[in-house]
Structures are given as C-alpha cells and as structure tokens.
Amino acid sequence: MSILGFLIPISLFLGGVGLLAFFWALKSRQFEDPKGDAERILSTAWDDHPKG
C-alpha cells in the first residue's frame, strides 16, 4: 500500500504535464485546420518525387 504514496503523485504530475502540453498545442494553433491537412497529404499538386 505504501507504493500508492509514490504512484498517485507521479501519475498526477504526468497528467498535469500532458494537460499543459495540450493547452500549449491549442495556444500555438496546432489544431487550426485538421480537415485541410488531411486533404493536403493526399494531394498530388506538390508531388516532388523524381519521375521515372
């Protein structure tokens, strides 16, 4: 049971780090245009691999 004294604070800390990373991603506009990114990856408009 004493291991819970270590695991609970560690899990709360890691959860807080994950939450901070999520809010940082929102603030830096990582999720601004997910539909456009999904369509852009399948587009051949900027296909720059060598021909042949």
Side-chain angles (χ1 to χ4, degrees):
M1 280 308 255
S2 65
I3 192 70
L4 290 177
F6 293 108
L7 292 180
I8 290 174
I10 290 171
S11 65
L12 289 174
F13 173 73
L14 290 176
V17 168
L19 191 62
L20 287 174
F22 174 71
F23 284 130
W24 171 80
L26 283 178
K27 187 175 180 179
S28 65
R29 302 177 185 223
Q30 294 289 321
F31 306 113
E32 190 169 291
D33 186 21
K35 179 98 172 135
D37 290 338
E39 292 174 2
R40 194 174 313 123
I41 199 168
L42 299 174
S43 175
T44 59
W46 298 100
D47 197 5
D48 60 353
H49 63 72
K51 304 279 190 225

